[in-house]
Amino acid sequence: LDAATKGFIDTVKAELGEENVVIELQNAAGDSNTCSTIMNTFVSDDVDLIMANATPALQAAATATADIPILGTSVTEYGVALGIENFSGTVGSNVSGTSDLADLALQAEMVTQWVPDAKNVGLLYCSAEANSKYQVNEVQKALEDKGLTCKQFAFADTSDLMAVTQEAADFSDVIYVPTDNTVANNASAIDSVCRPAGVPI
């Protein structure tokens, strides 16, 4: 996420000239309430453009303004993030951006290639991230088509992460995690449960 922000800032300054750009950088650290406060401040300040990094920031920006252009990055699926049914790839509002959605069928294929003897797959994700739910649903379909048994393990926030990870490790021959910021931020904690249990992630 930090690299995506830096890349955006560096490119805008290079394209427009550093002397012509004022960047107001705010970090909500993944907290949705803080995201909303920051976005409302941007709207009050009448900024020319909002770069929203990750789904909570994009959702807060889209709620805060229908007028100021919003560019999203590190967003997996815009239709899911913005509640657009039958999303075709065009938001149709002041929102645009890039997606980090990987080929989920290929990710499911990697699970079976790397852990060929696996029968039970745990799908671990944060329920507060809508794009994570989308990804685990798609990967679960692909894995079940290959004859594997899948079970989803969702944690609400870091307070129940360890307990849910332990449940997943107890069930699983291998654990799949999607592009999930909360999981990424707590990778070492998840590893501290799964490595002693001998469960690959």
Side-chain angles (χ1 to χ4, degrees):
L1 298 179
D2 290 342
T5 297
K6 182 180 184 307
F8 175 82
I9 291 171
D10 290 349
T11 302
V12 167
K13 286 181 176 180
E15 291 292 322
L16 300 178
E18 192 163 341
E19 69 281 0
N20 299 319
V21 179
V22 176
I23 303 289
E24 186 176 339
L25 181 61
Q26 297 288 333
N27 187 340
D31 182 78
S32 57
N33 291 329
T34 306
C35 282
S36 296
T37 300
I38 290 169
M39 293 306 170
N40 288 332
T41 300
F42 286 167
V43 172
S44 296
D45 291 347
D46 197 26
V47 300
D48 297 309
L49 175 71
I50 296 172
M51 191 280 276
N53 192 345
T55 301
L58 179 77
Q59 291 169 326
T63 299
T65 179
D67 301 314
I68 298 171
I70 300 166
L71 290 177
T73 190
S74 309
V75 176
T76 303
E77 218 283 350
Y78 282 76
V80 172
L82 299 174
I84 302 170
E85 290 188 30
N86 303 315
F87 180 62
S88 63
T90 301
V91 174
S93 67
N94 60 321
V95 177
S96 188
T98 58
S99 169
D100 61 7
L101 180 62
D103 186 320
L104 298 175
L106 284 179
Q107 290 196 353
E109 185 68 31
M110 286 190 328
V111 171
T112 59
Q113 286 179 356
W114 291 354
V115 192
D117 296 331
K119 293 182 175 43
N120 297 321
V121 180
L123 303 139
L124 179 68
Y125 69 100
C126 179
S127 59
E129 298 199 29
N131 282 301
S132 297
K133 176 68 172 169
Y134 168 80
Q135 290 174 83
V136 296
N137 285 343
E138 293 300 309
V139 169
Q140 180 171 346
K141 288 178 203 169
L143 289 170
E144 288 176 345
D145 285 346
K146 295 175 180 298
L148 282 80
T149 300
C150 297
K151 185 174 179 182
Q152 295 186 16
F153 295 89
F155 59 92
D157 53 42
T158 54
S159 65
D160 63 343
L161 168 67
M162 298 300 281
V164 173
T165 300
Q166 187 62 61
E167 288 177 35
D170 291 343
F171 167 84
S172 307
D173 299 315
V174 58
I175 291 175
Y176 170 82
V177 296
T179 306
D180 182 304
N181 294 319
T182 309
V183 169
N185 288 337
N186 292 279
S188 60
I190 293 168
D191 180 67
S192 74
V193 172
C194 295
R195 188 181 298 264
V199 179
I201 306 166

